[in-house]
Amino acid sequence: MKGSLTQSMSWLHTWCGLLLGWMLFAIFLTGTLAVFDKEINWWMQPELSDQALSPAAAANVAQRWLAERHPDETNWNISLPTARAPDLAVSVGERRRGGGGVTHLDPLSGATVEPRETIGGNFFFHFHYTLHLPRTLGVWVVGFAAMAMLVALISGIIIHKKIFKEFFTFRPAKGQRSWLDAHNASAVLLLPFHLMITYTGLAIFFLLYMPAAVNALYDGDRQAYFRDAQSGRAAEQAPRGEGRGSKAVSAPAAPLLPLSEIVGRAEAHYGQGMIGSLAVSNPGRANAQVTARPVLGNRIELSKGEGMVFDGVSGKLIQAPEPSRTSQLTQRVMAGLHFAQFGGYPMRWLYFICGLISCAMIGTGLVLYAVKQRKQAKANAQFLRVVESLNVAVVAGLLLACITLLWANRLLPAELAARQNWELRLFFGVWALSWLHAWLRKPLSAWREQLLAAALLALALPALDLWSAQDTLDVMRLSLLASVASMGLLLGWTVWKIPTVIAARNARSARLDRPAAGASS
Amino acid sequence: MTRSAIQSRSAWPAIAARTALALLGGYAFTYAFTAALARLLPLDPVDAVTAASLLSFVVYLLFMLWAFASASLRRVLVAVGIAIPLAIVGFWPQLMEVLG
């Protein structure tokens, strides 16, 4: 590792990028898909339909149903229909949304609906930051990968001296040179995005990754830190209202206000259609309270858990959200920049495309390593084989596994027991098989076959859905099908291009005895 | 560079030592640095904690890059050693309590 700065950084970039690149590609691809997690959720539960009912009216439907079935529960949770998740769901007790015990209601009739169990688009979201490992371990592993991404990005800038000139350089169909150009172009073009998305990802779990300051100033008491952070409201704060517990039962009976009123009042603050959920404590009692929580994304700041608390009987506002203090706001805006919940669909698509380009940068970097090694006579053949098969499995195989998950969602019987586990088994099974396939086949054939399979599955998904459709193809589901089919076209084009590129390369190496030197960065 | 790193087996101990120093030593340094920075920043404790913690990733990143760029391993080792005085600054009250 002796030598110039460029040399040491080049070494670091290669190894850091290669060894963590596989994990990073999986993190970035699932993160890119998670931009549309709710839309994928919606597509994966075709039993639910969009009744276009206003949240206020839906709240009343839920209230009627809950008052009938669960008048004695101390906590009701209602998830209201929103633009991205147009279903109405209720649960009682301490369970949060997405756990067991959620009941879906038809927003018009109030009848219960039983959608198929599915891991949904939430799977991509959870995989993105835990890699399907136990949560804490997964968050640490992904954080480690994020640090490696930063190391690779900065060392990449250092070794990339002609950054401006090469930005305008692309030499297609020229083998290694083209891979390098594609890697550089995708890296430089979106450098601010790559840096932003990686750093803000770390900022989300900042106190978990680096608890030093909390340990020093608060003796490790994170709750004390959060209390201090909200001290602005502590002075006038009413006793925190969510009265979860047994003493609630003692309050005298009193009728609960129609929840549509509460929704109306909360919408006056947050804006039309911005209320995502209601939590009612002690319904039917004099000490009833209703917390209205906004959907994420009425601003850049990630305001998770924030809400307005109302008195459930009089409808009086008990507690309004207060603006965060500056330091807190900084962290929350960083988290918000990562979650991309602001700015509506144009912003979502921008993040999605930027995410795909990040994936392309990581993927081309991985391939570039293999292409370079293949040309070196003294390369370690066994190691190269591991690298090439992992490249195929991680890039093409993961794409294939993701599209398989969509197919599994439609093909597995809707009433299958433990259906989510079968979806997971199929996803990871196909992914594992893709590695086996890549190990047994020649790299180039493996690439082509797996990409072709993914392309065909993506292109055929609309046909499958029309065949198994239950007359529920609304705009959101059709858009998803159209997007998946376009991805299929893109993959198909890639597969179709590979032989041309290979022919061009063979022709050139026949002309030249040795591959061109000087492609070292 | 890449090829020589694979082939010369004698390079492995040095690489392993440097990687360990960069990763673990770098984390220790960053941990102590963040604690000391939060202690010294003339801000409310809440703001100091948030600012220092959010900056810690830059510190760690720069330390790792420098650890791999640095010509001598010993220099990196010395830098990791600076974590001790930084930690004393950061955890001064806790240290006083323990000592007496």
PDB file of all heavy atoms in Angstrom, chain A residues 45-65:
ATOM      1  N   GLN A  45     -52.488  -6.385  -2.952  1.00  0.00           N
ATOM      2  CA  GLN A  45     -53.740  -6.781  -2.286  1.00  0.00           C
ATOM      3  C   GLN A  45     -54.914  -6.398  -3.181  1.00  0.00           C
ATOM      4  O   GLN A  45     -55.646  -5.442  -2.892  1.00  0.00           O
ATOM      5  CB  GLN A  45     -53.848  -6.125  -0.913  1.00  0.00           C
ATOM      6  CG  GLN A  45     -52.753  -6.615   0.027  1.00  0.00           C
ATOM      7  CD  GLN A  45     -53.029  -6.307   1.478  1.00  0.00           C
ATOM      8  OE1 GLN A  45     -53.382  -5.201   1.834  1.00  0.00           O
ATOM      9  NE2 GLN A  45     -52.850  -7.309   2.335  1.00  0.00           N
ATOM     10  N   PRO A  46     -55.113  -7.152  -4.268  1.00  0.00           N
ATOM     11  CA  PRO A  46     -56.139  -6.760  -5.242  1.00  0.00           C
ATOM     12  C   PRO A  46     -57.561  -6.875  -4.702  1.00  0.00           C
ATOM     13  O   PRO A  46     -58.496  -6.424  -5.358  1.00  0.00           O
ATOM     14  CB  PRO A  46     -55.901  -7.738  -6.400  1.00  0.00           C
ATOM     15  CG  PRO A  46     -55.233  -8.902  -5.784  1.00  0.00           C
ATOM     16  CD  PRO A  46     -54.423  -8.380  -4.643  1.00  0.00           C
ATOM     17  N   GLU A  47     -57.708  -7.464  -3.503  1.00  0.00           N
ATOM     18  CA  GLU A  47     -59.050  -7.559  -2.929  1.00  0.00           C
ATOM     19  C   GLU A  47     -59.537  -6.191  -2.453  1.00  0.00           C
ATOM     20  O   GLU A  47     -60.738  -5.977  -2.283  1.00  0.00           O
ATOM     21  CB  GLU A  47     -59.061  -8.534  -1.742  1.00  0.00           C
ATOM     22  CG  GLU A  47     -58.844  -9.990  -2.115  1.00  0.00           C
ATOM     23  CD  GLU A  47     -57.372 -10.319  -2.345  1.00  0.00           C
ATOM     24  OE1 GLU A  47     -56.515  -9.449  -2.102  1.00  0.00           O
ATOM     25  OE2 GLU A  47     -57.085 -11.454  -2.781  1.00  0.00           O
ATOM     26  N   LEU A  48     -58.595  -5.281  -2.205  1.00  0.00           N
ATOM     27  CA  LEU A  48     -58.986  -3.955  -1.738  1.00  0.00           C
ATOM     28  C   LEU A  48     -59.306  -3.086  -2.939  1.00  0.00           C
ATOM     29  O   LEU A  48     -58.682  -3.210  -3.991  1.00  0.00           O
ATOM     30  CB  LEU A  48     -57.845  -3.316  -0.942  1.00  0.00           C
ATOM     31  CG  LEU A  48     -57.380  -4.079   0.292  1.00  0.00           C
ATOM     32  CD1 LEU A  48     -56.168  -3.399   0.893  1.00  0.00           C
ATOM     33  CD2 LEU A  48     -58.486  -4.177   1.310  1.00  0.00           C
ATOM     34  N   SER A  49     -60.302  -2.227  -2.773  1.00  0.00           N
ATOM     35  CA  SER A  49     -60.599  -1.342  -3.893  1.00  0.00           C
ATOM     36  C   SER A  49     -60.769   0.080  -3.402  1.00  0.00           C
ATOM     37  O   SER A  49     -61.145   0.330  -2.264  1.00  0.00           O
ATOM     38  CB  SER A  49     -61.855  -1.809  -4.620  1.00  0.00           C
ATOM     39  OG  SER A  49     -62.923  -1.833  -3.703  1.00  0.00           O
ATOM     40  N   ASP A  50     -60.461   1.002  -4.278  1.00  0.00           N
ATOM     41  CA  ASP A  50     -60.495   2.422  -3.957  1.00  0.00           C
ATOM     42  C   ASP A  50     -61.919   2.939  -4.122  1.00  0.00           C
ATOM     43  O   ASP A  50     -62.423   2.996  -5.230  1.00  0.00           O
ATOM     44  CB  ASP A  50     -59.530   3.168  -4.887  1.00  0.00           C
ATOM     45  CG  ASP A  50     -59.430   4.632  -4.517  1.00  0.00           C
ATOM     46  OD1 ASP A  50     -60.122   5.046  -3.580  1.00  0.00           O
ATOM     47  OD2 ASP A  50     -58.649   5.347  -5.173  1.00  0.00           O
ATOM     48  N   GLN A  51     -62.561   3.285  -3.011  1.00  0.00           N
ATOM     49  CA  GLN A  51     -63.949   3.760  -3.099  1.00  0.00           C
ATOM     50  C   GLN A  51     -64.025   5.262  -3.161  1.00  0.00           C
ATOM     51  O   GLN A  51     -65.115   5.834  -3.154  1.00  0.00           O
ATOM     52  CB  GLN A  51     -64.754   3.264  -1.885  1.00  0.00           C
ATOM     53  CG  GLN A  51     -64.635   1.789  -1.627  1.00  0.00           C
ATOM     54  CD  GLN A  51     -65.482   0.963  -2.567  1.00  0.00           C
ATOM     55  OE1 GLN A  51     -65.978   1.474  -3.569  1.00  0.00           O
ATOM     56  NE2 GLN A  51     -65.636  -0.308  -2.260  1.00  0.00           N
ATOM     57  N   ALA A  52     -62.871   5.909  -3.170  1.00  0.00           N
ATOM     58  CA  ALA A  52     -62.815   7.365  -3.282  1.00  0.00           C
ATOM     59  C   ALA A  52     -63.680   8.064  -2.231  1.00  0.00           C
ATOM     60  O   ALA A  52     -64.333   9.057  -2.512  1.00  0.00           O
ATOM     61  CB  ALA A  52     -63.214   7.816  -4.690  1.00  0.00           C
ATOM     62  N   LEU A  53     -63.691   7.505  -1.042  1.00  0.00           N
ATOM     63  CA  LEU A  53     -64.464   8.114   0.033  1.00  0.00           C
ATOM     64  C   LEU A  53     -63.556   9.105   0.773  1.00  0.00           C
ATOM     65  O   LEU A  53     -62.369   8.855   0.931  1.00  0.00           O
ATOM     66  CB  LEU A  53     -64.933   7.015   0.991  1.00  0.00           C
ATOM     67  CG  LEU A  53     -66.075   7.375   1.926  1.00  0.00           C
ATOM     68  CD1 LEU A  53     -67.338   7.644   1.128  1.00  0.00           C
ATOM     69  CD2 LEU A  53     -66.308   6.250   2.923  1.00  0.00           C
ATOM     70  N   SER A  54     -64.126  10.208   1.238  1.00  0.00           N
ATOM     71  CA  SER A  54     -63.304  11.185   1.946  1.00  0.00           C
ATOM     72  C   SER A  54     -62.859  10.588   3.276  1.00  0.00           C
ATOM     73  O   SER A  54     -63.573   9.771   3.869  1.00  0.00           O
ATOM     74  CB  SER A  54     -64.088  12.461   2.189  1.00  0.00           C
ATOM     75  OG  SER A  54     -64.958  12.282   3.286  1.00  0.00           O
ATOM     76  N   PRO A  55     -61.678  11.001   3.773  1.00  0.00           N
ATOM     77  CA  PRO A  55     -61.190  10.460   5.043  1.00  0.00           C
ATOM     78  C   PRO A  55     -62.179  10.698   6.175  1.00  0.00           C
ATOM     79  O   PRO A  55     -62.354   9.839   7.051  1.00  0.00           O
ATOM     80  CB  PRO A  55     -59.897  11.236   5.284  1.00  0.00           C
ATOM     81  CG  PRO A  55     -59.479  11.754   3.962  1.00  0.00           C
ATOM     82  CD  PRO A  55     -60.723  11.922   3.150  1.00  0.00           C
ATOM     83  N   ALA A  56     -62.850  11.844   6.146  1.00  0.00           N
ATOM     84  CA  ALA A  56     -63.789  12.144   7.228  1.00  0.00           C
ATOM     85  C   ALA A  56     -64.939  11.133   7.237  1.00  0.00           C
ATOM     86  O   ALA A  56     -65.296  10.574   8.274  1.00  0.00           O
ATOM     87  CB  ALA A  56     -64.318  13.567   7.066  1.00  0.00           C
ATOM     88  N   ALA A  57     -65.505  10.879   6.057  1.00  0.00           N
ATOM     89  CA  ALA A  57     -66.605   9.926   5.974  1.00  0.00           C
ATOM     90  C   ALA A  57     -66.129   8.530   6.354  1.00  0.00           C
ATOM     91  O   ALA A  57     -66.820   7.781   7.055  1.00  0.00           O
ATOM     92  CB  ALA A  57     -67.178   9.937   4.566  1.00  0.00           C
ATOM     93  N   ALA A  58     -64.924   8.187   5.916  1.00  0.00           N
ATOM     94  CA  ALA A  58     -64.372   6.875   6.247  1.00  0.00           C
ATOM     95  C   ALA A  58     -64.179   6.733   7.750  1.00  0.00           C
ATOM     96  O   ALA A  58     -64.398   5.658   8.324  1.00  0.00           O
ATOM     97  CB  ALA A  58     -63.053   6.662   5.517  1.00  0.00           C
ATOM     98  N   ALA A  59     -63.775   7.840   8.393  1.00  0.00           N
ATOM     99  CA  ALA A  59     -63.576   7.797   9.849  1.00  0.00           C
ATOM    100  C   ALA A  59     -64.883   7.442  10.549  1.00  0.00           C
ATOM    101  O   ALA A  59     -64.893   6.686  11.518  1.00  0.00           O
ATOM    102  CB  ALA A  59     -63.044   9.134  10.343  1.00  0.00           C
ATOM    103  N   ASN A  60     -65.990   7.984  10.054  1.00  0.00           N
ATOM    104  CA  ASN A  60     -67.289   7.660  10.663  1.00  0.00           C
ATOM    105  C   ASN A  60     -67.646   6.193  10.474  1.00  0.00           C
ATOM    106  O   ASN A  60     -68.187   5.554  11.376  1.00  0.00           O
ATOM    107  CB  ASN A  60     -68.375   8.546  10.068  1.00  0.00           C
ATOM    108  CG  ASN A  60     -68.357   9.933  10.693  1.00  0.00           C
ATOM    109  OD1 ASN A  60     -67.722  10.133  11.737  1.00  0.00           O
ATOM    110  ND2 ASN A  60     -69.017  10.878  10.057  1.00  0.00           N
ATOM    111  N   VAL A  61     -67.373   5.664   9.281  1.00  0.00           N
ATOM    112  CA  VAL A  61     -67.633   4.246   9.018  1.00  0.00           C
ATOM    113  C   VAL A  61     -66.846   3.396  10.009  1.00  0.00           C
ATOM    114  O   VAL A  61     -67.385   2.472  10.634  1.00  0.00           O
ATOM    115  CB  VAL A  61     -67.238   3.880   7.573  1.00  0.00           C
ATOM    116  CG1 VAL A  61     -67.320   2.377   7.368  1.00  0.00           C
ATOM    117  CG2 VAL A  61     -68.121   4.610   6.574  1.00  0.00           C
ATOM    118  N   ALA A  62     -65.572   3.746  10.187  1.00  0.00           N
ATOM    119  CA  ALA A  62     -64.735   2.986  11.116  1.00  0.00           C
ATOM    120  C   ALA A  62     -65.261   3.112  12.537  1.00  0.00           C
ATOM    121  O   ALA A  62     -65.293   2.129  13.291  1.00  0.00           O
ATOM    122  CB  ALA A  62     -63.299   3.496  11.035  1.00  0.00           C
ATOM    123  N   GLN A  63     -65.685   4.320  12.884  1.00  0.00           N
ATOM    124  CA  GLN A  63     -66.188   4.544  14.249  1.00  0.00           C
ATOM    125  C   GLN A  63     -67.421   3.674  14.520  1.00  0.00           C
ATOM    126  O   GLN A  63     -67.530   3.057  15.573  1.00  0.00           O
ATOM    127  CB  GLN A  63     -66.540   6.017  14.418  1.00  0.00           C
ATOM    128  CG  GLN A  63     -66.998   6.359  15.834  1.00  0.00           C
ATOM    129  CD  GLN A  63     -67.254   7.847  15.993  1.00  0.00           C
ATOM    130  OE1 GLN A  63     -67.205   8.601  15.019  1.00  0.00           O
ATOM    131  NE2 GLN A  63     -67.499   8.268  17.210  1.00  0.00           N
ATOM    132  N   ARG A  64     -68.342   3.621  13.540  1.00  0.00           N
ATOM    133  CA  ARG A  64     -69.539   2.801  13.717  1.00  0.00           C
ATOM    134  C   ARG A  64     -69.161   1.344  13.949  1.00  0.00           C
ATOM    135  O   ARG A  64     -69.666   0.682  14.838  1.00  0.00           O
ATOM    136  CB  ARG A  64     -70.436   2.914  12.477  1.00  0.00           C
ATOM    137  CG  ARG A  64     -71.629   3.830  12.674  1.00  0.00           C
ATOM    138  CD  ARG A  64     -72.728   3.587  11.649  1.00  0.00           C
ATOM    139  NE  ARG A  64     -72.289   3.553  10.277  1.00  0.00           N
ATOM    140  CZ  ARG A  64     -72.014   4.624   9.527  1.00  0.00           C
ATOM    141  NH1 ARG A  64     -72.116   5.830  10.062  1.00  0.00           N
ATOM    142  NH2 ARG A  64     -71.648   4.508   8.271  1.00  0.00           N
ATOM    143  N   TRP A  65     -68.238   0.875  13.104  1.00  0.00           N
ATOM    144  CA  TRP A  65     -67.838  -0.538  13.186  1.00  0.00           C
ATOM    145  C   TRP A  65     -67.189  -0.828  14.535  1.00  0.00           C
ATOM    146  O   TRP A  65     -67.501  -1.818  15.202  1.00  0.00           O
ATOM    147  CB  TRP A  65     -66.875  -0.852  12.041  1.00  0.00           C
ATOM    148  CG  TRP A  65     -66.613  -2.311  11.878  1.00  0.00           C
ATOM    149  CD1 TRP A  65     -67.323  -3.195  11.137  1.00  0.00           C
ATOM    150  CD2 TRP A  65     -65.553  -3.074  12.481  1.00  0.00           C
ATOM    151  NE1 TRP A  65     -66.798  -4.451  11.231  1.00  0.00           N
ATOM    152  CE2 TRP A  65     -65.699  -4.411  12.056  1.00  0.00           C
ATOM    153  CE3 TRP A  65     -64.506  -2.761  13.347  1.00  0.00           C
ATOM    154  CZ2 TRP A  65     -64.838  -5.424  12.448  1.00  0.00           C
ATOM    155  CZ3 TRP A  65     -63.641  -3.773  13.744  1.00  0.00           C
ATOM    156  CH2 TRP A  65     -63.825  -5.081  13.292  1.00  0.00           C
TER     157      TRP A  65
END
